[in-house]
Amino acid sequence: MPDRPAPPVTSSVAPPPSFVAPPVPQWRRSSRSTGMNNCVETARLGGAFLAVRDSKDVDRPPLRFTAAAWSTFVTGLGPHGADPHRVG
């Protein structure tokens, strides 16, 4: 039997997927901000999700909502927001 080169070794293991870093959220400050850093900021996430954070504590993990849930919440605040001293 003549010498033949061995067939090349093939791996059945797929290479690891390339890592794609998630996009950095683009935070938007509330239009009702007083400029004294006492407001909320929102950022769109992938899909139909929204992140909400306190502008005074940006290192804390943000809350995450569906866009529909956040819209329902904001609509429920009424025309004067969450100010308990303003009526109707």
Side-chain angles (χ1 to χ4, degrees):
M1 188 183 314
D3 289 337
R4 289 192 220 174
V9 177
T10 59
S11 172
S12 62
V13 177
S18 60
F19 175 75
V20 177
V24 176
Q26 299 296 310
W27 293 100
R28 295 181 59 197
R29 195 161 279 207
S30 168
S31 61
R32 295 187 182 260
S33 172
T34 63
M36 299 179 68
N37 211 27
N38 59 347
C39 61
V40 297
E41 296 175 324
T42 61
R44 291 186 186 273
L45 302 176
F49 291 94
L50 180 80
V52 180
R53 71 179 181 183
D54 182 344
S55 63
K56 296 182 298 302
D57 194 2
V58 297
D59 292 327
R60 182 180 224 169
L63 301 173
R64 294 182 184 146
F65 299 91
T66 64
W70 181 250
S71 181
T72 299
F73 171 75
V74 171
T75 299
L77 292 175
H80 299 294
D83 187 349
H85 303 292
R86 295 185 89 169
V87 178

